[in-house]
Amino acid sequence: MKPTLTILTALLLAPLATMQAAEATASLPRSLPLTEGVDPAGIAKFLETMEERRFELHSFMLLRHGKVVAETWWAPYAAEVPHCLYSLSKSFTSTAVGLAAAEGRLSLDDKVISFFPESLPPQVSDHLAAMRVRDLLCMAAGHEKDPQNEMVKSDDWVRAFLAQPLVRAPGTQFVYSSAATYMCSAIVQKVTGMTVLDYLRPRLFEPLKITGVTWDTCPRGINTGGWGLSVPTEGLAKFGQLYLQKGNWQGRQILPAAWVAEATSFQIQQPAKPSSTRPKEEDDQRQGYGYQFWRCRHNAVRGDGAFGQLIVMMPDQDAVVVMTSESRDLMEQLGVVWEHLLPSFHDAKLPADDAAQEKLTRLLNTRHLAPRSGVAGGTGTGTGTGTGTGTGTQAFALEENSLGITRLTIANTDKTVTLTAKVGDTEHRIVHGLGEWRMSDTAMPGTPTKLGAGTLATPTRKVATSAAWLDASTLELTWRYLEFPHRDTVTCRFDADRVTLSFLSSITVLGRAAPTRPTLTGKRLAP
């Protein structure tokens, strides 16, 4: 017998993730897809296609008419945990600039050098003198390429940015630049006396009841602006809905409607990438750029970040799509939205479809990322034979290494593997579940794996960990950093009285960064 729609409603509106989200933030209203004119079969097909095409999603939320009609987190990721946004941070920095302009603290036509007379190079070029706040927002500062890599080598990022050569007149050509967004953050801090995060708290985050927000800083305490912001998924949905509502939130004008319109409108054309083979009308990277927002096909607007952090605002459909992920191809990920979600929107309430709703509810409530499985009976480090059999504890003295780890202890039970790394007088302990995730906090040296410079907002990070014996002498540990898109695979190999630890970041697997951590080797200590 099929469940009634009433039972399905209860299943959809009260999964654990939803209750956690309600505790973390004042929740958006919930509804059923059919009630809001969205075909649940299309949402289900979207989720299935994402997994069939091996996109690793961490969260997904779909809003229609201001109500959440579908949401899920891939365990061990969870609703209450903020997620690093990478360049999706830029849209929030842009919002801070818009608010500062509305308060009369700056104008978009103000010259950038006017804010930093103490940081100017000995010779100010005509191009540098002409650079405006508007040019930073439009990614048209005048550089040949993003000067971020050169900028972050200094402990004074503002001075380093202003010293970079400009090859063209500002405002004339789009060149993607995270450094330009950092300068927007620095300007907001200069004119308000507050970091962008502190400035936005009472103006954006508190009115929308978004909590758990953090933002990395440069060596001089300025929020990194173009990256480094972390926000829970529902907070991203609220931000997208605010822009969809032209800056109005529950009857209060949080952002000027004129700013929302200008920031999300076509301001500058992006050039085609040399590798691009798509015609312009099919390319979501060539639909025009606003103020740190991308124009998309289908009259949509998005904020996005590396590895598939996405807010897609669809005014024609009155919808918002939010995803966090570790994606190999953000544009292909967005393409699945157009392929399956876009056709799912209808102008009227749809007739009941218990089977489609039941399938969607089941999918939403069962998303997870499975831990690695291992061989049966491999639950210990051995007793000097170099094998992974038996339970117990072993300690190893490590050779000198750049992580500063001097001693490693590995303890095994039939359910867990505990790794303890000693650095100076501090011990970093991580408990791993065998065939299951275990949650903890860690400040282990070399973690978390991430792109982008800056000081982390918090000294520790949440991590989900699991262990698997691949054979009798090889132990594989997985560390998922729940506030970041990435994971580490730590492989421990035991050979007689020796141990070798090697680290592989998922960023390296995706080809975005070379390995940065050494292979550790050590000798077993006598019991």
Side-chain angles (χ1 to χ4, degrees), residues 347-503:
D347 293 334
K349 178 180 176 179
L350 298 174
D353 187 340
D354 286 8
Q357 185 62 68
E358 179 183 3
K359 178 180 180 178
L360 175 60
T361 301
R362 183 173 62 252
L363 284 171
L364 293 173
N365 287 333
T366 57
R367 298 305 87 201
H368 70 284
L369 299 172
R372 179 76 177 268
S373 59
V375 297
T379 58
T381 57
T383 55
T385 62
T387 66
T389 57
T391 61
T393 300
Q394 294 188 77
F396 299 86
L398 297 189
E399 296 175 2
E400 185 177 352
N401 58 82
S402 60
L403 298 180
I405 301 175
T406 58
R407 178 185 172 106
L408 193 73
T409 304
I410 300 175
N412 297 269
T413 72
D414 58 352
K415 293 184 178 180
T416 64
V417 173
T418 301
L419 180 146
T420 304
K422 187 173 183 180
V423 180
D425 295 329
T426 302
E427 290 190 340
H428 300 275
R429 180 174 176 268
I430 299 180
V431 180
H432 308 75
L434 281 163
E436 64 180 14
W437 298 111
R438 289 293 181 101
M439 310 300 169
S440 61
D441 294 334
T442 187
M444 183 77 74
T447 65
T449 54
K450 71 181 187 72
L451 298 180
T455 301
L456 286 172
T458 56
T460 61
R461 36 261 169 220
K462 297 183 183 301
V463 62
T465 53
S466 67
W469 285 95
L470 305 186
D471 55 45
S473 58
T474 307
L475 173 65
E476 183 177 281
L477 309 177
T478 302
W479 300 347
R480 283 194 172 273
Y481 305 101
L482 299 182
E483 297 149 309
F484 299 85
H486 312 301
R487 68 188 182 279
D488 276 332
T489 301
V490 184
T491 304
C492 309
R493 291 185 173 86
F494 302 91
D495 182 13
D497 64 346
R498 306 287 297 178
V499 66
T500 302
L501 265 74
S502 59
F503 300 87

Side-chain angles (χ1 to χ4, degrees), residues 246-307:
K246 298 179 173 58
N248 190 279
W249 191 259
Q250 298 178 347
R252 176 183 170 189
Q253 199 66 36
I254 302 296
L255 298 174
W259 166 262
V260 173
E262 190 174 348
T264 58
S265 295
F266 182 104
Q267 298 293 337
I268 193 169
Q269 179 62 58
Q270 313 99 313
K273 291 188 175 181
S275 59
S276 176
T277 58
R278 296 175 180 172
K280 180 180 177 181
E281 61 272 14
E282 298 177 9
D283 190 346
D284 282 302
Q285 290 185 300
R286 296 172 62 197
Q287 301 305 306
Y289 195 76
Y291 297 153
Q292 313 284 290
F293 288 92
W294 300 83
R295 297 288 307 172
C296 307
R297 290 178 290 162
H298 311 294
N299 194 37
V301 178
R302 76 180 187 274
D304 70 30
F307 305 102

Side-chain angles (χ1 to χ4, degrees), residues 27-209:
S27 294
L28 291 160
R30 264 64 179 176
S31 185
L32 286 169
L34 290 168
T35 303
E36 306 305 324
V38 186
D39 184 357
I43 305 174
K45 186 61 177 175
F46 166 82
L47 294 170
E48 291 173 334
T49 301
M50 281 293 185
E51 295 192 351
E52 288 168 1
R53 296 181 186 175
R54 297 185 177 276
F55 285 101
E56 184 184 294
L57 297 190
H58 299 158
S59 69
F60 163 71
M61 187 171 280
L62 175 62
L63 278 63
R64 184 87 194 281
H65 305 325
K67 299 175 183 178
V68 179
V69 298
E71 60 186 313
T72 189
W73 284 259
W74 278 254
Y77 296 89
E80 72 277 12
V81 180
H83 202 280
C84 175
L85 303 182
Y86 282 116
S87 286
L88 181 50
S89 308
K90 292 176 170 67
S91 300
F92 289 82
T93 301
S94 169
T95 301
V97 173
L99 287 167
E103 293 175 358
R105 297 172 185 262
L106 59 82
S107 163
L108 299 194
D109 290 319
D110 285 342
K111 299 300 192 293
V112 173
I113 63 171
S114 70
F115 300 101
F116 308 106
E118 71 286 356
S119 302
L120 300 178
Q123 297 294 325
V124 175
S125 69
D126 291 343
H127 286 342
L128 180 57
M131 188 192 299
R132 305 164 297 173
V133 175
R134 186 185 308 276
D135 302 323
L136 299 176
L137 289 170
C138 291
M139 299 292 189
H143 299 102
E144 183 176 12
K145 63 179 182 178
D146 185 356
Q148 178 188 7
N149 289 340
E150 291 302 315
M151 181 183 77
V152 300
K153 293 176 182 178
S154 168
D155 67 351
D156 187 341
W157 292 6
V158 169
R159 186 179 296 276
F161 176 93
L162 296 172
Q164 298 304 307
L166 300 173
V167 299
R168 57 182 61 88
T172 59
Q173 185 170 331
F174 177 95
V175 174
Y176 191 80
S177 174
S178 292
T181 317
Y182 166 77
M183 291 299 291
C184 291
S185 174
I187 288 170
V188 170
Q189 184 159 332
K190 193 68 177 287
V191 300
T192 67
M194 294 176 277
T195 64
V196 165
L197 177 57
D198 288 340
Y199 181 68
L200 286 178
R201 283 194 195 280
R203 293 165 176 82
L204 177 70
F205 297 125
E206 290 175 5
L208 272 60
K209 295 182 171 57

